Amino acid sequence: MIMKKLIIFLIVISFMFGMCGCSMFSRKGQDKIDRMLSYINSKYADDRFEYVSVTGGHLGSNTTKIIVKSEKFPEKEIRVICSETDGGEVFSDTYLNVKFEEQTYTYIRDALTRLYGDNIYLKFIPDDTASMEGGSSSTTFEEYIADASTYIYFSAAVSGKADNEEEELSNIKDAFKTAVVSGHIYYIDSKESIRDSANALIDAKAYTKCLYIVKENIREYAVAKWTDGEK
């Protein structure tokens, strides 16, 4: 009987310690979320943010990511990232990518339309890892797209053959001279609507040429690579 009571006592003690540990972990997790919310609310004081959920990890890891909701962009997912380093916590976010999403899409589309006309297909998805370094509420769109730490990637299908690659690249560089962008441009020799068939054509590599560009800063391209398509 004594042994049975001792076993029950030890089980109760273990359970209490476990509950205590979970409670402490929960408080630490909530404290971190509060710090992340305080960071983004202070950084973009002209908007307000609410916590939605944890994403891409857990609250005990060295990098914590949460999704927040913005009053100005309530339908969009904005991520706040907290990375633990030897020097403490480093915060970042994706707010400016969401704020300037439509303007970025329009900028790329206008540049391509000037070069190739309306028969184009454009796919642009904002980066969900981090916005430009040092961005704030006062950051303008022009500053955002010209900053080397802003990651802008697009995929486009255009009507044409790109026979003169050197001239074509020169025109593209001129079209994107005020932005740091990267992307694939697929040249499709077709009179049909590219918008309706671009995904299938690209997946099947049914293009005459493809240009892959990576712009390092406003003046330089780290990569400008041409590839022939498969007939």
Side-chain angles (χ1 to χ4, degrees):
M1 181 64 70
I2 295 176
M3 181 61 69
K4 185 177 181 180
K5 289 182 178 180
L6 178 60
I7 292 173
I8 293 173
F9 174 76
L10 291 174
I11 291 174
V12 171
I13 293 296
S14 299
F15 179 76
M16 291 176 62
F17 273 109
M19 290 293 291
C20 181
C22 288
S23 177
M24 290 178 62
F25 180 80
S26 179
R27 286 198 300 272
K28 287 183 179 180
Q30 186 59 53
D31 288 345
K32 179 177 284 190
I33 289 174
D34 290 343
R35 291 194 299 274
M36 295 168 81
L37 282 173
S38 177
Y39 150 80
I40 195 166
N41 276 300
S42 298
K43 186 176 181 180
Y44 307 107
D46 60 338
D47 203 344
R48 298 306 298 169
F49 304 88
E50 294 181 2
Y51 170 75
V52 176
S53 64
V54 175
T55 181
H58 56 83
L59 291 172
S61 65
N62 291 332
T63 299
T64 301
K65 301 178 183 180
I66 65 172
I67 295 174
V68 299
K69 180 174 69 174
S70 154
E71 284 187 357
K72 289 188 175 181
F73 311 101
E75 303 303 316
K76 300 291 185 178
E77 286 191 354
I78 298 166
R79 286 167 169 74
V80 181
I81 303 96
C82 174
S83 301
E84 295 182 10
T85 66
D86 292 338
E89 293 177 333
V90 177
F91 298 97
S92 58
D93 60 87
T94 63
Y95 181 71
L96 292 183
N97 297 345
V98 169
K99 179 179 180 179
F100 294 127
E101 178 179 359
E102 291 186 10
Q103 285 176 270
T104 304
Y105 179 90
T106 301
Y107 174 90
I108 298 171
R109 182 163 188 85
D110 287 350
L112 294 174
T113 300
R114 288 194 299 271
L115 290 170
Y116 307 106
D118 292 329
N119 191 20
I120 62 175
Y121 166 86
L122 172 61
K123 183 177 182 179
F124 164 70
I125 299 175
D127 181 30
D128 65 358
T129 57
S131 295
M132 65 174 283
E133 298 172 3
S136 67
S137 294
S138 62
T139 299
T140 65
F141 173 67
E142 289 72 22
E143 292 170 336
Y144 169 79
I145 62 170
D147 193 280
S149 68
T150 298
Y151 181 72
I152 299 173
Y153 173 83
F154 69 92
S155 181
V158 302
S159 180
K161 297 182 179 180
D163 292 329
N164 190 327
E165 295 179 358
E166 187 175 338
E167 180 182 349
E168 192 76 19
L169 182 58
S170 177
N171 291 336
I172 292 167
K173 288 181 177 181
D174 187 60
F176 291 107
K177 63 183 177 183
T178 60
V180 179
V181 297
S182 300
H184 284 85
I185 301 176
Y186 298 88
Y187 293 81
I188 299 174
D189 185 17
S190 172
K191 294 181 180 180
E192 298 178 359
S193 173
I194 288 177
R195 298 175 195 168
D196 298 336
S197 58
N199 275 329
L201 287 168
I202 291 172
D203 290 342
K205 298 185 178 179
Y207 49 85
T208 58
K209 288 183 184 296
C210 173
L211 174 63
Y212 174 52
I213 56 173
V214 177
K215 202 170 184 186
E216 204 165 59
N217 52 54
I218 287 294
R219 292 170 296 278
E220 299 174 345
Y221 282 77
V223 175
K225 182 180 179 182
W226 288 95
T227 304
D228 290 330
E230 295 179 4
K231 298 302 180 85

PDB file of all heavy atoms in Angstrom, residues 5-19:
ATOM      1  N   LYS A   5       1.074   4.256  -2.847  1.00  0.00           N
ATOM      2  CA  LYS A   5       0.888   5.684  -2.571  1.00  0.00           C
ATOM      3  C   LYS A   5       2.102   6.492  -3.033  1.00  0.00           C
ATOM      4  O   LYS A   5       1.969   7.611  -3.526  1.00  0.00           O
ATOM      5  CB  LYS A   5       0.650   5.903  -1.069  1.00  0.00           C
ATOM      6  CG  LYS A   5      -0.704   5.407  -0.583  1.00  0.00           C
ATOM      7  CD  LYS A   5      -0.880   5.697   0.894  1.00  0.00           C
ATOM      8  CE  LYS A   5      -2.251   5.249   1.373  1.00  0.00           C
ATOM      9  NZ  LYS A   5      -2.447   5.531   2.823  1.00  0.00           N
ATOM     10  N   LEU A   6       3.299   5.908  -2.856  1.00  0.00           N
ATOM     11  CA  LEU A   6       4.533   6.601  -3.259  1.00  0.00           C
ATOM     12  C   LEU A   6       4.557   6.795  -4.776  1.00  0.00           C
ATOM     13  O   LEU A   6       4.927   7.864  -5.278  1.00  0.00           O
ATOM     14  CB  LEU A   6       5.745   5.791  -2.808  1.00  0.00           C
ATOM     15  CG  LEU A   6       7.115   6.368  -3.192  1.00  0.00           C
ATOM     16  CD1 LEU A   6       7.293   7.759  -2.572  1.00  0.00           C
ATOM     17  CD2 LEU A   6       8.229   5.434  -2.726  1.00  0.00           C
ATOM     18  N   ILE A   7       4.143   5.754  -5.498  1.00  0.00           N
ATOM     19  CA  ILE A   7       4.110   5.834  -6.966  1.00  0.00           C
ATOM     20  C   ILE A   7       3.133   6.915  -7.425  1.00  0.00           C
ATOM     21  O   ILE A   7       3.426   7.728  -8.307  1.00  0.00           O
ATOM     22  CB  ILE A   7       3.738   4.473  -7.573  1.00  0.00           C
ATOM     23  CG1 ILE A   7       4.869   3.462  -7.320  1.00  0.00           C
ATOM     24  CG2 ILE A   7       3.464   4.611  -9.072  1.00  0.00           C
ATOM     25  CD1 ILE A   7       4.525   2.043  -7.729  1.00  0.00           C
ATOM     26  N   ILE A   8       1.945   6.927  -6.780  1.00  0.00           N
ATOM     27  CA  ILE A   8       0.934   7.932  -7.125  1.00  0.00           C
ATOM     28  C   ILE A   8       1.460   9.335  -6.837  1.00  0.00           C
ATOM     29  O   ILE A   8       1.282  10.278  -7.627  1.00  0.00           O
ATOM     30  CB  ILE A   8      -0.377   7.677  -6.352  1.00  0.00           C
ATOM     31  CG1 ILE A   8      -1.004   6.365  -6.827  1.00  0.00           C
ATOM     32  CG2 ILE A   8      -1.361   8.841  -6.540  1.00  0.00           C
ATOM     33  CD1 ILE A   8      -2.228   5.945  -6.001  1.00  0.00           C
ATOM     34  N   PHE A   9       2.158   9.482  -5.692  1.00  0.00           N
ATOM     35  CA  PHE A   9       2.723  10.780  -5.304  1.00  0.00           C
ATOM     36  C   PHE A   9       3.739  11.263  -6.337  1.00  0.00           C
ATOM     37  O   PHE A   9       3.749  12.426  -6.740  1.00  0.00           O
ATOM     38  CB  PHE A   9       3.371  10.665  -3.921  1.00  0.00           C
ATOM     39  CG  PHE A   9       4.094  11.904  -3.488  1.00  0.00           C
ATOM     40  CD1 PHE A   9       3.392  13.019  -3.049  1.00  0.00           C
ATOM     41  CD2 PHE A   9       5.479  11.950  -3.533  1.00  0.00           C
ATOM     42  CE1 PHE A   9       4.068  14.165  -2.646  1.00  0.00           C
ATOM     43  CE2 PHE A   9       6.156  13.089  -3.142  1.00  0.00           C
ATOM     44  CZ  PHE A   9       5.447  14.196  -2.691  1.00  0.00           C
ATOM     45  N   LEU A  10       4.615  10.359  -6.787  1.00  0.00           N
ATOM     46  CA  LEU A  10       5.632  10.721  -7.776  1.00  0.00           C
ATOM     47  C   LEU A  10       4.996  11.111  -9.112  1.00  0.00           C
ATOM     48  O   LEU A  10       5.460  12.025  -9.793  1.00  0.00           O
ATOM     49  CB  LEU A  10       6.604   9.544  -7.961  1.00  0.00           C
ATOM     50  CG  LEU A  10       7.516   9.234  -6.778  1.00  0.00           C
ATOM     51  CD1 LEU A  10       8.330   7.958  -7.048  1.00  0.00           C
ATOM     52  CD2 LEU A  10       8.456  10.406  -6.517  1.00  0.00           C
ATOM     53  N   ILE A  11       3.935  10.406  -9.484  1.00  0.00           N
ATOM     54  CA  ILE A  11       3.239  10.727 -10.737  1.00  0.00           C
ATOM     55  C   ILE A  11       2.641  12.133 -10.663  1.00  0.00           C
ATOM     56  O   ILE A  11       2.742  12.925 -11.605  1.00  0.00           O
ATOM     57  CB  ILE A  11       2.143   9.683 -11.032  1.00  0.00           C
ATOM     58  CG1 ILE A  11       2.784   8.336 -11.382  1.00  0.00           C
ATOM     59  CG2 ILE A  11       1.236  10.152 -12.181  1.00  0.00           C
ATOM     60  CD1 ILE A  11       1.773   7.204 -11.539  1.00  0.00           C
ATOM     61  N   VAL A  12       2.016  12.458  -9.525  1.00  0.00           N
ATOM     62  CA  VAL A  12       1.413  13.779  -9.351  1.00  0.00           C
ATOM     63  C   VAL A  12       2.465  14.872  -9.405  1.00  0.00           C
ATOM     64  O   VAL A  12       2.286  15.912 -10.051  1.00  0.00           O
ATOM     65  CB  VAL A  12       0.631  13.838  -8.020  1.00  0.00           C
ATOM     66  CG1 VAL A  12       0.197  15.279  -7.718  1.00  0.00           C
ATOM     67  CG2 VAL A  12      -0.575  12.924  -8.071  1.00  0.00           C
ATOM     68  N   ILE A  13       3.614  14.640  -8.753  1.00  0.00           N
ATOM     69  CA  ILE A  13       4.702  15.623  -8.748  1.00  0.00           C
ATOM     70  C   ILE A  13       5.228  15.843 -10.170  1.00  0.00           C
ATOM     71  O   ILE A  13       5.457  16.978 -10.603  1.00  0.00           O
ATOM     72  CB  ILE A  13       5.849  15.172  -7.816  1.00  0.00           C
ATOM     73  CG1 ILE A  13       5.380  15.186  -6.351  1.00  0.00           C
ATOM     74  CG2 ILE A  13       7.066  16.054  -8.003  1.00  0.00           C
ATOM     75  CD1 ILE A  13       5.032  16.585  -5.857  1.00  0.00           C
ATOM     76  N   SER A  14       5.427  14.746 -10.898  1.00  0.00           N
ATOM     77  CA  SER A  14       5.919  14.853 -12.279  1.00  0.00           C
ATOM     78  C   SER A  14       4.944  15.639 -13.141  1.00  0.00           C
ATOM     79  O   SER A  14       5.333  16.466 -13.982  1.00  0.00           O
ATOM     80  CB  SER A  14       6.131  13.450 -12.869  1.00  0.00           C
ATOM     81  OG  SER A  14       7.093  12.731 -12.140  1.00  0.00           O
ATOM     82  N   PHE A  15       3.659  15.370 -12.937  1.00  0.00           N
ATOM     83  CA  PHE A  15       2.628  16.067 -13.710  1.00  0.00           C
ATOM     84  C   PHE A  15       2.650  17.565 -13.409  1.00  0.00           C
ATOM     85  O   PHE A  15       2.548  18.399 -14.314  1.00  0.00           O
ATOM     86  CB  PHE A  15       1.264  15.482 -13.376  1.00  0.00           C
ATOM     87  CG  PHE A  15       0.132  16.147 -14.091  1.00  0.00           C
ATOM     88  CD1 PHE A  15      -0.108  15.898 -15.437  1.00  0.00           C
ATOM     89  CD2 PHE A  15      -0.691  17.045 -13.418  1.00  0.00           C
ATOM     90  CE1 PHE A  15      -1.156  16.513 -16.094  1.00  0.00           C
ATOM     91  CE2 PHE A  15      -1.748  17.667 -14.059  1.00  0.00           C
ATOM     92  CZ  PHE A  15      -1.973  17.405 -15.412  1.00  0.00           C
ATOM     93  N   MET A  16       2.832  17.906 -12.134  1.00  0.00           N
ATOM     94  CA  MET A  16       2.860  19.314 -11.730  1.00  0.00           C
ATOM     95  C   MET A  16       4.071  20.029 -12.332  1.00  0.00           C
ATOM     96  O   MET A  16       3.967  21.156 -12.816  1.00  0.00           O
ATOM     97  CB  MET A  16       2.875  19.431 -10.205  1.00  0.00           C
ATOM     98  CG  MET A  16       1.574  18.997  -9.539  1.00  0.00           C
ATOM     99  SD  MET A  16       1.658  19.041  -7.736  1.00  0.00           S
ATOM    100  CE  MET A  16       1.946  20.792  -7.460  1.00  0.00           C
ATOM    101  N   PHE A  17       5.227  19.366 -12.311  1.00  0.00           N
ATOM    102  CA  PHE A  17       6.427  19.957 -12.914  1.00  0.00           C
ATOM    103  C   PHE A  17       6.247  20.132 -14.418  1.00  0.00           C
ATOM    104  O   PHE A  17       6.683  21.113 -15.010  1.00  0.00           O
ATOM    105  CB  PHE A  17       7.660  19.096 -12.616  1.00  0.00           C
ATOM    106  CG  PHE A  17       8.319  19.424 -11.314  1.00  0.00           C
ATOM    107  CD1 PHE A  17       8.234  18.549 -10.243  1.00  0.00           C
ATOM    108  CD2 PHE A  17       9.014  20.605 -11.161  1.00  0.00           C
ATOM    109  CE1 PHE A  17       8.836  18.844  -9.030  1.00  0.00           C
ATOM    110  CE2 PHE A  17       9.628  20.922  -9.954  1.00  0.00           C
ATOM    111  CZ  PHE A  17       9.541  20.039  -8.879  1.00  0.00           C
ATOM    112  N   GLY A  18       5.586  19.150 -15.041  1.00  0.00           N
ATOM    113  CA  GLY A  18       5.341  19.239 -16.482  1.00  0.00           C
ATOM    114  C   GLY A  18       4.444  20.406 -16.820  1.00  0.00           C
ATOM    115  O   GLY A  18       4.686  21.142 -17.778  1.00  0.00           O
ATOM    116  N   MET A  19       3.388  20.579 -16.025  1.00  0.00           N
ATOM    117  CA  MET A  19       2.472  21.698 -16.236  1.00  0.00           C
ATOM    118  C   MET A  19       3.183  23.019 -16.034  1.00  0.00           C
ATOM    119  O   MET A  19       2.966  23.991 -16.759  1.00  0.00           O
ATOM    120  CB  MET A  19       1.290  21.581 -15.273  1.00  0.00           C
ATOM    121  CG  MET A  19       0.335  20.436 -15.592  1.00  0.00           C
ATOM    122  SD  MET A  19      -0.545  20.700 -17.147  1.00  0.00           S
ATOM    123  CE  MET A  19      -1.589  22.077 -16.672  1.00  0.00           C
TER     124      MET A  19
END
